[in-house]
Amino acid sequence: MKDIKSDIKENFIEKLKSFQGKSLEDANNIDKYRALSGMVRDELGKRWVETNSQYNKEKIKQVYYLSIEFLLGKLLISNLINLDLYHNYKEALEELGINIDEIEEIEPDAGLGNGGLGRLAACFLDSMATLGIPGHGCGIRYKYGLFDQRIVDGQQVEYPDNWLKDGSMWEYRKQEKEVEVKFYGNFWAEKKDDGYETHFEDYQSILAVPYDIPIAGYKNNTVNTLRLWSAEVAENEFDFSEFNKGDYLKAVEYSRSVEAISEILYPDDNHYQGKELRLKQQYFFVSASIQSIINRCKKKNQSIAHIDELVAIHINDTHPAIAIAELMRILMDDEGFEWNDAWRVTTNTISYTNHTIMPEALEKWPIDLFKNLLPRIYHIIEEINKRFIEMISIKYPDDLRKIKAMSIIEDGQVKMANLAIIGSNSVNGVAKIHSEILKKQVFKDFYDWCPFLFNNKTNGITHRRWLIKSNPELSDLITRTIGNGWIDHPIDLGKILKYEKDSKFQKEISSIKYNNKVILAKLIEEEMGIKVNPKAIFDVHIKRIHSYKRQLLNLFHIIDLYNRLKENPNLEIHPRVFIFGGKAAQSYYIAKETIKLIHSVAEVINNDEEIEDKIKVIFLENYRVSLAEKLFPAADVSEQISTASKEASGTGNMKFMMNGAVTIGTMDGANIEILEEVGEDNIIIFGLSANEVMDYYHNGGYNAWEVYNSDIRIKRIMDSLVDGTFSKGQKDKYRNLFNYLLINNDEYFVLKDFDSYIKAQNKVEALFKDRNTWNKMCINNIARSGKFSSDRTINEYSVGIWKVAPFVVKN
Ligand SMILES: *Cc1c(COP(=O)(O)O)cnc(C)c1O
């Protein structure tokens, strides 16, 4: 038998010829990327066809995960790892003088998401396929993903992310599976003896064309599907008479307006914009997805009357909540169901995850906009609401407050969270504290009405991308030490605890971290021309820029440390590199000012010769999945400092932990469960609790001016924003940030938590200097991170919500 690597080399050279028309000598990295991905496509394709054929033969329940975002990142190496081909390919290419990491650089990130919510959807796809859950993603094929961020003169500038410009190697256009989606028009219902007759006329019909991406499980034969929809002009809608009359421009304009639906991803994270185009996007992908789910059942001759036994449909936040009304519409208008049967089947099929309690993120559509764009859907929602209110009015006859709060339609708006709760069989939060806040505060009325609807599913991350792929050295050390059982059972990472005091193991852990820091230091020097010391503490704050995530609190600690060093140049501190990364929504003024201020502070401190390399401040531009993979493995300190109660879960915190960074964090989101896992010796907690924060919001009692006037460190920092210290004498440059903090009474408690944060940071410093203790902390964090694998999360969804069992795809 010929050995595998020779086969790979031979096939690779063949693919270069057939795909790119090039010899190995002439091929550039783009040619090599395309040839290599082509080989991976061949492997995926075989298993994909087999998986689908077995799903079709057997009557197994399918899960559809509807999400307006999927933040996939790059797929080449991740696919190779899951197909169990990575090592052979890497080595075979090495024998040809090719470095696979350089080839991966060619692939553009699929950045079809803003942050945590979209990345969660991507981790879930990986875990579903790995666990053998027949689970598929449904979303939008945005022509432009989240903008490219570049920093020009210390400010964020947004560039379009044209990720499809050279085509994608992972998508398959399935023209024959296109469906029609209808907007606008006139809808009315006519009373007849045997019920109603409905009429829907003069609507605009557009085409939804699916592009499928195969999602491979880890070392099994499962390949599930991510179906992303693209909007196109329906031929019968294209007004050829206008076109023939010579109104070419009108025809072009029309096709532009249709294609706009799947053109751009809205760049707002945790913030709602009531734009018609966004609602169009939502209905577009939801309607197309539900239609294709129904088509699939019919093709298999399955009875739509029992669709709740054949499929589970999950909605990732409220963006796809309209699925409830769309499924009702199809069951009644197309399949002839009576209301009650349609409602029973719909609610048995759909489940909902809430992602935030921030009021500005809750979706509320103006009735006029909604009704004009989706008249039939609005009619159904009105009816759902009418029946729901009739029902709860029996239980709470005189409680008008309750009835208003629970109503889907109120004050001229359609409240999508209420629709999602009323139309689902399960409502879950994404970390214990978040699920408790949902029950006790945000959705208390719904919880009192129907407590068994509510449950918790703490988020997770796929350890295949966030440890095996991103930190191969650490992953190999773990396998050398405890065997490879942890890969299928990440809880087994706990087995390395046996070695927490083993000085050889400690040394290896610490030298892997050091190597990763050297690699990152090299990247920082290449990108920014700044030399950083890999022996320094790498203190990393990477996530969307948002007031509640409190990048300003981190920056105030940096300024305070700088002030102390300036006052006392002999102050002994362990050198630190503060690393920031993250994008601000274009329209989010305070977030963009925060990016500016980080750069201004960095400019002063990095160029202050007295400071030497005791402090460096780095902002890495264009934070995205592929950059994240280089940052987590090189971090010593994980900044998770959101105002308590605001971060529903966080998943960045889990990636850091799994790579051996120590968290400095508030009692918020999944930080609380990280503390539960590692114990208080292995995490540094500070700040107000969620109860204290909410007590201030409800009862007052906090005055930011008082803190400003009574803490001289804070006064000095705040004043330095408006005395020109960080703005080359331009005093008013940060006046608005200064005012924002004080005039809004410091709504996210940056000043209030400052003292506690400084003490926590001093503790970080002391612990880091004690190398033995710090290494033990790193080991404990890695060892206890198994709970946060998304395999655990998906198992909980499968058993507790979807009622699906794994299915073994046979070879
Ligand atoms: C994990 C991840 C996030 C979420 O980070 P949080 O710290 O939980 O907000 C955002 N963006 C990218 C690229 C990620 O990988």
Side-chain angles (χ1 to χ4, degrees):
M1 209 180 87
K2 249 188 12 199
D3 81 300
I4 299 171
K5 277 184 238 163
S6 315
D7 274 353
I8 294 171
K9 286 191 281 185
E10 226 169 79
N11 286 339
F12 179 71
I13 290 165
E14 280 309 304
K15 264 281 189 288
L16 272 176
K17 288 184 203 155
S18 64
F19 260 42
Q20 304 299 106
K22 294 265 184 84
S23 68
L24 182 58
E25 292 70 40
D26 291 340
N28 59 27
N29 279 353
I30 297 172
D31 299 318
K32 291 171 191 166
Y33 168 72
R34 295 181 68 85
L36 184 54
S37 323
M39 292 166 75
V40 177
R41 247 172 94 108
D42 293 346
E43 292 295 330
L44 284 168
K46 285 184 232 164
R47 293 168 174 79
W48 203 12
V49 168
E50 196 49 49
T51 300
N52 284 329
S53 126
Q54 292 181 33
Y55 284 170
N56 284 334
K57 256 187 250 141
E58 321 272 336
K59 242 194 171 181
I60 19 169
K61 194 172 185 181
Q62 306 281 312
V63 177
Y64 295 92
Y65 193 84
L66 272 55
S67 178
I68 200 153
E69 302 186 359
F70 286 91
L71 189 47
L72 298 169
K74 299 181 198 284
L75 294 175
L76 174 62
I77 289 181
S78 159
N79 278 332
L80 279 169
I81 290 173
N82 282 13
L83 295 171
D84 199 17
L85 299 170
Y86 178 63
H87 289 288
N88 285 327
Y89 271 65
K90 181 183 155 72
E91 286 161 22
L93 289 172
E94 256 159 29
E95 288 171 18
L96 294 174
I98 299 167
N99 176 346
I100 195 166
D101 293 328
E102 281 169 26
I103 304 302
E104 192 198 32
E105 288 294 320
I106 299 294
E107 180 171 337
D109 275 44
L112 310 185
N114 275 284
L117 176 143
R119 184 54 231 175
L120 185 76
C123 285
F124 280 7
L125 293 178
D126 186 79
S127 284
M128 286 193 289
T130 296
L131 297 182
I133 299 297
H136 314 283
C138 305
I140 298 174
R141 179 183 181 263
Y142 298 106
K143 185 170 173 198
Y144 298 96
L146 185 60
F147 64 86
D148 255 331
Q149 177 196 56
R150 294 190 213 155
I151 303 297
V152 181
D153 298 331
Q155 280 180 257
Q156 169 177 295
V157 181
E158 302 88 13
Y159 287 83
D161 165 44
N162 195 0
W163 73 293
L164 289 169
K165 89 177 165 310
D166 302 318
S168 163
M169 290 303 291
W170 309 115
E171 64 178 18
Y172 293 70
R173 181 182 164 97
K174 299 273 172 72
Q175 179 94 55
E176 75 284 1
K177 292 189 173 152
E178 67 187 22
V179 297
E180 261 182 76
V181 178
K182 295 168 183 173
F183 292 108
Y184 306 108
N186 298 310
F187 172 83
W188 73 96
E190 206 179 322
K191 186 123 183 74
K192 285 276 155 81
D193 293 342
D194 58 344
Y196 287 90
E197 193 176 286
T198 59
H199 303 267
F200 189 25
E201 291 176 354
D202 296 330
Y203 49 79
Q204 176 197 352
S205 185
I206 66 139
L207 273 190
V209 180
Y211 285 73
D212 288 356
I213 297 178
I215 305 291
Y218 180 75
K219 288 195 194 178
N220 60 13
N221 295 305
T222 300
V223 176
N224 290 332
T225 301
L226 168 58
R227 176 159 286 179
L228 300 178
W229 296 95
S230 182
E232 295 186 11
V233 173
E235 285 301 324
N236 55 350
E237 277 286 304
F238 195 84
D239 198 335
F240 279 101
S241 55
E242 293 289 338
F243 185 74
N244 290 334
K245 269 188 271 164
D247 207 342
Y248 179 66
L249 283 179
K250 212 169 165 185
V252 172
E253 223 171 79
Y254 177 74
S255 89
R256 287 251 172 91
S257 76
V258 169
E259 284 155 16
I261 296 172
S262 54
E263 194 124 300
I264 60 139
L265 164 72
Y266 277 87
D268 306 273
D269 186 69
N270 271 306
H271 196 94
Y272 153 75
Q273 310 265 352
K275 299 268 175 23
E276 186 187 54
L277 182 57
R278 173 71 163 193
L279 185 59
K280 259 192 193 173
Q281 291 186 329
Q282 296 184 354
Y283 184 65
F284 166 73
F285 95 91
V286 164
S287 175
S289 303
I290 306 267
Q291 289 184 61
S292 93
I293 293 166
I294 301 267
N295 288 344
R296 199 153 177 282
C297 292
K298 285 188 166 168
K299 216 171 121 189
K300 291 203 272 179
N301 291 318
Q302 290 174 323
S303 157
I304 303 300
H306 299 289
I307 194 161
D308 52 332
E309 292 163 22
L310 307 170
V311 305
I313 297 174
H314 199 88
I315 56 179
N316 194 25
D317 214 330
T318 59
H319 321 116
I322 218 164
I324 292 156
E326 177 66 1
L327 185 52
M328 288 294 285
R329 180 189 72 77
I330 293 175
L331 293 177
M332 295 188 302
D333 296 1
D334 300 350
E335 306 294 328
F337 279 50
E338 297 292 326
W339 181 279
N340 287 330
D341 292 331
W343 185 246
R344 179 180 43 76
V345 170
T346 297
T347 53
N348 280 340
T349 303
I350 293 177
S351 48
Y352 155 60
T353 297
N354 172 281
H355 280 271
T356 177
I357 63 157
M358 307 244 294
E360 65 267 35
L362 291 182
E363 291 194 292
K364 294 180 177 129
W365 295 102
I367 288 178
D368 294 341
L369 183 159
F370 200 110
K371 197 171 171 177
N372 178 53
L373 182 67
L374 304 167
R376 174 56 176 142
I377 293 297
Y378 183 73
H379 191 264
I380 290 172
I381 291 175
E382 260 187 328
E383 185 66 23
I384 294 173
N385 196 42
K386 190 181 124 230
R387 288 168 187 250
F388 178 72
I389 288 175
E390 275 168 17
M391 183 178 64
I392 58 167
S393 299
I394 297 169
K395 195 163 176 188
Y396 311 111
D398 302 313
D399 200 337
L400 242 123
R401 184 210 59 81
K402 216 188 236 306
I403 291 167
K404 273 180 77 167
M406 295 172 80
S407 178
I408 302 171
I409 299 165
E410 188 211 345
D411 276 350
Q413 293 177 314
V414 185
K415 297 184 286 186
M416 299 307 269
N418 293 24
L419 172 63
I421 296 169
I422 293 165
S424 295
N425 58 69
S426 164
V427 178
N428 75 280
V430 290
K432 279 183 195 167
I433 184 180
H434 169 61
S435 297
E436 285 306 307
I437 293 172
L438 292 182
K439 291 195 289 189
K440 290 188 186 135
Q441 321 219 0
V442 186
F443 298 136
K444 181 176 188 306
D445 293 316
F446 285 107
Y447 177 67
D448 292 343
W449 164 64
C450 191
F452 47 81
L453 211 52
F454 288 81
N455 64 90
N456 174 248
K457 297 284 170 281
T458 299
N459 281 166
I461 55 166
T462 168
H463 57 287
R464 289 164 290 278
R465 180 176 292 265
W466 296 110
L467 178 51
I468 298 172
K469 174 176 190 291
S470 67
N471 201 341
E473 265 203 80
L474 178 58
S475 165
D476 289 346
L477 170 65
I478 295 167
T479 297
R480 277 202 309 282
T481 311
I482 60 169
N484 64 7
W486 65 274
I487 296 177
D488 287 335
H489 303 282
I491 286 291
D492 287 356
L493 281 169
K495 290 182 180 170
I496 64 168
L497 270 185
K498 219 171 98 189
Y499 304 90
E500 66 171 334
K501 291 180 187 145
D502 179 317
S503 68
K504 180 166 163 274
F505 188 70
Q506 279 193 9
K507 264 211 198 90
E508 285 179 299
I509 287 282
S510 126
S511 99
I512 288 168
K513 182 64 80 184
Y514 182 78
N515 293 345
N516 290 333
K517 288 162 73 173
V518 169
I519 295 170
L520 181 58
K522 210 173 131 218
L523 179 85
I524 290 171
E525 185 166 6
E526 278 165 15
E527 290 224 335
M528 316 185 56
I530 300 176
K531 267 196 164 47
V532 299
N533 176 4
K535 296 209 168 77
I537 301 173
F538 278 25
D539 181 327
V540 184
H541 201 169
I542 45 175
K543 48 184 78 245
R544 287 301 290 257
I545 311 295
H546 210 301
S547 290
Y548 86 83
K549 291 177 182 278
R550 298 201 293 192
Q551 280 87 3
L552 283 176
L553 179 57
N554 184 341
L555 200 57
F556 282 13
H557 164 244
I558 298 170
I559 297 173
D560 182 59
L561 195 55
Y562 177 62
N563 290 341
R564 279 184 272 156
L565 281 168
K566 292 302 275 185
E567 223 151 63
N568 176 9
N570 296 325
L571 183 71
E572 280 290 327
I573 68 159
H574 193 98
R576 262 210 225 206
V577 182
F578 293 94
I579 298 169
F580 291 90
K583 293 174 183 175
Q586 276 111 315
S587 58
Y588 192 166
Y589 176 76
I590 292 297
K592 292 188 125 180
E593 287 294 290
T594 301
I595 293 178
K596 265 164 71 179
L597 181 60
I598 294 171
H599 282 89
S600 294
V601 171
E603 167 104 3
V604 168
I605 296 180
N606 295 346
N607 296 307
D608 187 329
E609 283 172 10
E610 271 176 34
I611 296 300
E612 295 169 329
D613 73 347
K614 286 181 192 155
I615 315 178
K616 286 280 181 255
V617 181
I618 301 295
F619 187 102
L620 280 168
E621 71 182 3
N622 208 25
Y623 180 56
R624 61 198 184 283
V625 171
S626 59
L627 180 58
E629 288 171 23
K630 298 173 176 140
L631 291 168
F632 290 110
D636 295 306
V637 177
S638 160
E639 296 279 350
Q640 306 302 334
I641 62 177
S642 56
T643 310
S645 80
K646 297 291 178 187
E647 188 76 271
S649 161
T651 49
N653 46 5
M654 303 169 185
K655 301 168 197 164
F656 276 111
M657 177 195 192
M658 198 173 269
N659 284 277
V662 173
T663 304
I664 179 169
T666 47
M667 287 294 269
D668 199 18
N671 297 351
I672 294 172
E673 287 157 79
I674 293 177
L675 166 65
E676 268 175 31
E677 293 300 301
V678 300
E680 56 187 24
D681 287 346
N682 296 303
I683 185 168
I684 295 139
I685 297 287
F686 74 95
L688 292 174
S689 69
N691 282 334
E692 288 167 331
V693 166
M694 287 189 289
D695 195 62
Y696 279 130
Y697 282 140
H698 294 139
N699 305 320
Y702 172 53
N703 185 334
W705 280 102
E706 270 172 27
V707 180
Y708 168 78
N709 284 313
S710 62
D711 188 327
I712 54 165
R713 297 166 304 174
I714 291 180
K715 184 159 193 311
R716 184 160 172 207
I717 295 163
M718 289 289 285
D719 290 349
S720 70
L721 301 190
V722 288
D723 67 7
T725 303
F726 298 113
S727 44
K728 301 188 177 123
Q730 210 187 312
K731 288 188 180 169
D732 283 329
K733 191 164 178 190
Y734 294 108
R735 174 73 60 185
N736 289 338
L737 267 185
F738 179 95
N739 287 343
Y740 159 75
L741 282 168
L742 289 172
I743 290 170
N744 289 308
N745 197 33
D746 184 19
E747 56 181 338
Y748 294 107
F749 300 98
V750 172
L751 307 187
K752 181 78 187 165
D753 272 346
F754 175 82
D755 179 62
S756 165
Y757 183 56
I758 297 297
K759 288 183 176 129
Q761 283 289 18
N762 291 340
K763 205 170 149 191
V764 167
E765 155 111 12
L767 288 164
F768 192 87
K769 283 176 174 164
D770 178 356
R771 296 308 297 156
N772 190 34
T773 304
W774 190 267
N775 286 334
K776 265 194 328 210
M777 291 174 80
C778 294
I779 294 168
N780 268 273
N781 272 274
I782 300 163
R784 312 286 194 187
S785 68
K787 162 170 174 174
F788 301 104
S789 165
S790 45
D791 292 0
R792 186 267 311 150
T793 316
I794 284 300
N795 188 46
E796 289 178 6
Y797 275 89
S798 301
V799 173
I801 301 178
W802 302 329
K803 323 285 183 207
V804 285
F807 172 81
V808 179
V809 176
K810 287 171 252 1
N811 198 337

